[in-house]
Each structure stands twice: as C-alpha cells, then as structure tokens.
C-alpha cells in the first residue's frame, strides 16, 4: 500500500505459490513461480508482527484497513492475502535471514532451545530477575509478555527471583535424573514431563496451547475471539492478580510475593479495568474543587487517554509508538489551564460590591 513502511517486493509472477515457516516471533514467506522456466527466482520475505500484525484472506474488492502488503489470487472474483498491521509496529524485510540475535525457537526447536539456555548459564544475562530474562530473545525466542506471566504463574515462581538460581537448580535436577535411571524409555520420560513440567518445558507447552487453540482464540472473523482468549488466561490481566513494572518498563502480572529482586514500590493488587465510566471509591474522601475543575476531571475520567490501554497490551520491547502521543499533550494543557483558585460567581461579586458601597456610605460624610 502507499502508506506501508516496508520495502517494495520486486517479485512479479502470473502464477506462484506461497509457503511459510515460523521461528519464534518471525515468519518467513517464500514466493515461488509455478513455472519452473520462469525468470524470477524465489523471493523470501521475513515478517515481524509487533502488537497487532496478522495475515487475513479477504475479497480483493473489500480490503481491510491497514492492509500494507497484498498477494492476489487468480480466481474470480479475486481474493487477497493481506498483511494487516493497524499500529504499524510490524515490519518485513527481503531475504531469508532470521534476526541473528535471536536464539532457537521455543516451539519448533525445543531441544536446541533447552540446550542453549542450560549451557550458557554463566552469561551475566541470567543475573537478572527471571521475568526479565524470559523476554531475552537470545535465549527465549518466542516468549512474550503474556506468556511469561502464564508460565511463572503455573509454576508458582515469584517473577523477581534470580534467573540463575531457578535455572541452575533445574540443570542439577536433570543431571541427577540421568544418573539415577539412564534406562528410562521415551514414553516414561514424556509422562514424567507431563506430570511435573519444569520452567523450560512450559516455555514450549504453553505457547503450544495457544497454537493448538488458535482458531478459537485469535480468528479475526469471530467477534468473540478476544473473550475466548481472556477465558484462556489464568494470570495476565486477570482480576485479583498483582502487577509491577520491571526494570525495562514492562508490566508483569503475578500472584503472591514478587520476589527478592523486585523494584521499589508496592504492587498493584488489581488490574486497571477498561470501563467507560469508572466507579468512584465509596470510602475515598471527596476533595473540594472548583466547579470547572471538577467538570474537567469528570470528563477526563469518562474518556481516558488511549495511551493507558496501550500500557497493558505491550507485547514487544522494541515496538515504538507512531508519532507523538497527542492525547497526553491535550491532557497536560487542560491541567495547566485549570484555575488555581475557585472562581467567584457574578452574583456574589455584585453583592460584595454593593456591601462595599454601603460600608463607605456609612463611614463617609452625610
């Protein structure tokens, strides 16, 4: 599209196929001409989805908004496979190379992922809290903000425990298990993992739950898809859970104590609910404010800035907002323009002037 930020795709063919392979949070498409004698060689495109990117197949005459890249079918009427990204945090680049700093995929390369973590525990990256390390794409490629909360919650691990402590113990347990019974069959090993999964195993199995239920949870054609996703969640954004911001500014949801490496500040005990008219706290004292200032606050409460909702939905650390946040700027102007003192009504001003004149008449000459 004209407003797309990605590079132009030079591939042109009357008939071609599209194949795809995923690795972590990246997806590679390969465009291949159906005619073996065709001039254009296969073209690879690697996508990152950001917070809102997705692919949708729809009629070519009814393209969705923010369809930044389109692949057209030859049928009649034609359809289009569209890369849709309303917030423009997603991207694509030409070529078949994955991002070099990303480690093995937690889903498709589980064994390599596990080995990559356990053999590199001497890396200083594991001196950080476990909730922050789970977002390190060098070791946990594919784990995002909501997945880390769900994984730690299921294992009852405080999010701000030191990562090295948690993973070193796991490494020792694995070595002891092999020494005690090296003759375990594959079926017994699978059964043990299902009954007592460890942290790295859940980094594989929890994303697999989402993938297996993907049609129900995330199909954009179903209006209740987000409700199904919320029902699947056990911790992330769930009422009654606590939340804290980690040192990178991301919000982690958890239950119980945060752990010894928690940043200063008390956890929020309940998530902020997105409602058009927030309910006031009945026990909170009502401050005495000027009428105009009170009206401004009521209007601001009824229409919170959109940036507040975005804070709860951040999925990628590297995602950047598109331009300045105008909503916050308007909010600042309203606050600074509010009167510092209560405004005196005109009727009161007139009565004060009248009483002042009367007072002068009483003390002046007859």
């Amino acid at each position: 599209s004209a407003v797309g930020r990605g590079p132009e795709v030079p591939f042109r063919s009357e008939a071609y196929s599209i194949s795809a392979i995923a690795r972590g949070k990246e997806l590679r498409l390969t465009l291949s001409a159906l005619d073996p004698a065709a001039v254009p060689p296969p073209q690879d495109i690697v996508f990152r989805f950001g917070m809102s990117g997705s692919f949708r197949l729809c009629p070519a005459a009814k393209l969705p908004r923010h369809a930044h890249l389109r692949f057209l079918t030859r049928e009649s009427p034609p359809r289009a496979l569209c890369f849709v990204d309303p917030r423009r945090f997603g991207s694509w680049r030409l070529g078949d190379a994955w991002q070099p700093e990303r480690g093995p995929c937690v889903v498709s390369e589980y064994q390599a992922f596990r080995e990559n973590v356990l053999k590199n525990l001497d890396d200083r990256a594991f001196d950080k809290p476990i909730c922050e390390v789970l977002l390190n794409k060098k070791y946990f490629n594919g784990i995002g903000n909501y997945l880390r909360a769900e994984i730690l919650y299921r294992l009852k691990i405080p999010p701000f425990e030191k990562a090295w402590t948690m993973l070193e113990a796991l490494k020792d347990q694995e070595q002891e298990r092999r020494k005690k019974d090296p003759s375990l069959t594959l079926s017994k090993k699978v059964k043990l993992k299902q009954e007592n999964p460890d942290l790295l195993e859940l980094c594989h199995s929890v994303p697999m739950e989402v993938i297996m239920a993907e049609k129900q949870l995330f199909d954009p054609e179903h209006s209740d898809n987000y409700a199904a996703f919320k029902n699947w969640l056990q911790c992330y954004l769930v009422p009654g859970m606590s939340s804290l911001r980690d040192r990178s500014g991301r919000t982690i949801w958890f239950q119980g104590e945060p752990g010894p490496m928690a940043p200063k500040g008390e956890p929020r005990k309940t998530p902020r609910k997105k409602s058009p008219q927030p309910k006031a706290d009945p026990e909170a004292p009502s401050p005495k404010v000027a009428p105009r200032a009170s009206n401004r606050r009521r209007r601001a409460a009824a229409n919170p800035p959109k940036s507040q909702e975005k804070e709860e939905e951040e999925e990628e650390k590297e995602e950047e907002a598109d331009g300045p946040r105008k909503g916050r700027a308007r909010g600042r102007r309203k606050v600074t323009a509010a009167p510092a003192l209560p405004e005196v009504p005109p009727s009161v001003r007139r009565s004060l002037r009248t009483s002042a004149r009367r007072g002068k008449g009483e003390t002046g000459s007859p």
Side-chain angles (χ1 to χ4, degrees):
S1 70
V3 296
R5 293 179 172 179
E8 181 70 23
V9 180
F11 183 85
R12 293 291 183 274
S13 177
E14 287 298 321
Y16 62 96
S17 65
I18 302 178
S19 58
I21 184 173
R23 185 173 185 268
K25 291 193 173 183
E26 293 184 294
L27 179 75
R28 183 170 66 208
L29 298 188
T30 300
L31 314 181
S32 305
L34 295 183
D35 183 1
V39 176
Q43 175 67 62
D44 293 304
I45 315 170
V46 177
F47 289 82
R48 292 173 61 201
F49 294 91
M51 287 166 53
S52 59
S54 66
F55 277 98
R56 293 179 61 182
L57 185 63
C58 56
K62 297 180 180 180
L63 294 176
R65 294 184 62 190
H66 311 290
H68 299 304
L69 195 61
R70 304 92 178 250
F71 304 93
L72 300 177
T73 68
R74 297 185 67 187
E75 60 191 331
S76 182
R79 290 185 294 171
L81 178 66
C82 305
F83 177 64
V84 183
D85 186 17
R87 298 186 181 182
R88 303 186 191 180
F89 292 154
S91 63
W92 68 85
R93 62 184 184 276
L94 304 180
D96 61 352
W98 306 110
Q99 281 189 314
E101 67 272 16
R102 288 180 178 259
C105 175
V106 297
V107 172
S108 61
E109 303 169 297
Y110 169 67
Q111 198 57 43
F113 148 71
R114 187 180 184 90
E115 293 173 359
N116 185 46
V117 172
L118 295 180
K119 75 179 182 181
N120 288 294
L121 290 180
D122 292 337
D123 192 329
R124 294 182 62 183
F126 293 99
D127 292 338
K128 296 180 179 181
I130 185 63
C131 67
E132 297 179 11
V133 175
L134 285 175
L135 296 182
N136 187 329
K137 305 311 174 191
K138 183 179 179 181
Y139 297 110
F140 294 89
N141 182 18
I143 301 299
N145 202 23
Y146 81 90
L147 285 173
R148 68 168 176 171
E150 297 299 312
I151 291 166
L152 295 176
Y153 170 78
R154 295 190 187 191
L155 292 173
K156 308 303 179 187
I157 295 177
F160 291 95
E161 287 283 354
K162 189 175 181 180
W164 183 89
T165 304
M166 307 303 302
L167 295 169
E168 183 68 18
L170 187 155
K171 182 179 179 180
D172 294 340
Q173 290 173 6
E174 187 169 287
Q175 291 176 348
E176 290 178 5
R177 186 187 305 171
R178 290 177 180 175
K179 290 179 181 178
K180 287 181 179 179
D181 195 353
S183 62
L184 279 176
T185 63
L186 179 61
S187 60
K188 289 183 178 179
K189 289 181 180 179
V190 171
K191 184 177 180 181
L192 286 173
K193 289 181 179 180
Q194 290 175 346
E195 293 174 351
N196 300 292
D198 60 38
L199 177 61
L200 298 182
E201 288 164 352
L202 282 187
C203 286
H204 171 75
S205 61
V206 174
M208 283 300 297
E209 288 181 18
V210 180
I211 292 171
M212 298 304 293
E214 161 178 41
K215 183 69 176 176
Q216 178 185 3
L217 296 181
F218 297 112
D219 188 355
E221 299 300 325
H222 290 74
S223 59
D224 59 345
N225 62 329
Y226 186 64
F229 176 62
K230 288 180 67 177
N231 291 334
W232 176 84
L233 293 171
Q234 299 180 30
C235 178
Y236 182 77
L237 292 179
V238 173
M241 297 296 168
S242 301
S243 64
L244 271 175
R245 286 190 178 275
D246 61 24
R247 289 170 179 80
S248 62
R250 309 293 302 284
T251 301
I252 175 67
W253 298 88
F254 60 95
Q255 186 179 53
E257 294 298 322
M261 301 182 73
K264 295 180 180 179
E266 290 295 323
R268 291 186 298 174
K269 295 299 180 182
T270 54
R272 181 170 54 242
K273 296 182 179 180
K274 300 174 186 177
S275 58
Q277 186 66 40
K279 295 180 180 179
D281 185 356
E283 298 181 359
S286 56
K288 297 180 180 179
V289 296
R292 291 186 179 181
S294 177
N295 291 336
R296 287 191 185 97
R297 292 178 184 176
R298 281 197 296 270
R299 288 195 298 269
N303 301 286
K306 293 182 180 179
S307 57
Q308 293 180 3
E309 295 183 6
K310 183 185 290 185
E311 291 176 359
E312 306 299 335
E313 299 174 342
E314 289 184 347
E315 182 61 26
E316 289 276 358
K317 180 179 178 181
E318 61 269 15
E319 292 161 357
E320 299 176 354
D322 181 18
R325 299 182 179 180
K326 298 179 181 179
R328 290 187 177 179
R330 286 196 296 269
R332 285 195 294 271
R333 285 196 292 270
K334 286 184 179 180
V335 172
T336 54
L341 296 174
E343 185 176 343
V344 181
S347 60
V348 177
R349 287 200 295 269
R350 286 195 296 270
S351 62
L352 290 175
R353 286 197 297 268
T354 303
S355 61
R357 293 192 194 98
R358 291 174 180 172
K360 288 180 181 179
E362 293 173 359
T363 56
S365 56

